[in-house]
Amino acid sequence: QVQLVESGGGVVQPGRSLRLSCAASGYTFSNYAMHWLRQAPGNGLEWVALISYGGGNKYYADSVKGRFTISRDNSKNTLYLQMNSLRAEDTAVYYCARGPMYDSSNCYMDYWGQGTLVTVSS
Amino acid sequence: EIVLTQSPATLSLSPGERATLSCRASQSVSTYLAWYQQKPGQAPRLLIYDASNRATGTPARFSGSGSGTDFTLTISSLEPEDFAVYYCQQRSNWPPLTFGGGTKVEIK
């Protein structure tokens, strides 16, 4: 069965960096695009970034553009989110989720990890 | 950016009742809209995609309808496990992919 497991969350000071990982199993990771999304405490869902199945195309929300970088290692079945210049408003549970197969425009999220909490605080 | 507005914010119903949730888009999204369910402490789960298609494992009591700017998620008869928060999401015009603010279905 499809499994996505995030790691790397924690407490970090404003302005510092953190890298999240998402380990995928149960399907052919390299055939699917992948998303990062987040949910601030008590709030709704916010899409953060998408990377294509091969890693060549990346898309970002304006709120993180220039500070966050999505990447993947298909040989390790792992997705990453490098977060730099963190702000208090980046505090959230971060989820990875499976996106569309190959170049499909079907940009929904059909499987989600359980999330990892990032707290930005001094 | 396409803004999705969900209503009502909270829906108080009893098990066995019918639930009708609304999602309105700031511009047409054709039928490129999905619905997700999120229970406390859990990740969201895809229920409906492309407005009316049930995702794998979605019970038949869940149905989606609509096109353009107005969409509805209907739960025909609420089961105890259906009390949760529901979000709509569009993929018509992105980035960014956007979500509505959510509707909480609570037990009356």
Side-chain angles (χ1 to χ4, degrees), chain A residues 49-98:
Chain A
L50 170 72
I51 187 168
S52 61
Y53 68 99
N57 294 307
K58 305 174 184 182
Y59 308 89
Y60 298 93
D62 284 348
S63 58
V64 306
K65 199 175 296 183
R67 299 187 300 124
F68 290 11
T69 302
I70 189 171
S71 63
R72 64 191 297 160
D73 186 336
N74 285 346
S75 69
K76 296 182 178 179
N77 292 344
T78 303
L79 173 72
Y80 302 101
L81 185 68
Q82 177 67 41
M83 304 185 294
N84 297 333
S85 303
L86 282 161
R87 307 166 180 168
E89 54 265 36
D90 295 318
T91 294
V93 174
Y94 284 74
Y95 296 101
C96 62
R98 194 174 79 169

Side-chain angles (χ1 to χ4, degrees), chain B residues 13-81:
Chain B
L13 295 168
S14 301
E17 289 194 294
R18 183 184 189 89
T20 303
L21 288 67
S22 173
C23 177
R24 178 163 290 178
S26 58
Q27 64 189 77
S28 176
V29 298
S30 184
T31 56
Y32 300 139
L33 188 109
W35 292 92
Y36 299 83
Q37 175 193 67
Q38 187 177 31
K39 298 179 182 179
Q42 296 185 17
R45 167 196 170 195
L46 178 65
L47 291 177
I48 301 284
Y49 66 93
D50 287 347
S52 60
N53 297 290
R54 278 188 291 273
T56 303
T58 300
R61 62 182 181 274
F62 290 89
S63 63
S65 63
S67 65
T69 60
D70 291 301
F71 299 85
T72 301
L73 175 68
T74 302
I75 310 171
S76 59
S77 178
L78 282 164
E79 297 288 338
E81 61 268 27

Side-chain angles (χ1 to χ4, degrees), chain A residues 39-56:
Chain A
Q39 186 169 35
N43 283 15
L45 298 166
E46 180 186 15
W47 172 80
V48 172
L50 170 72
I51 187 168
S52 61
Y53 68 99

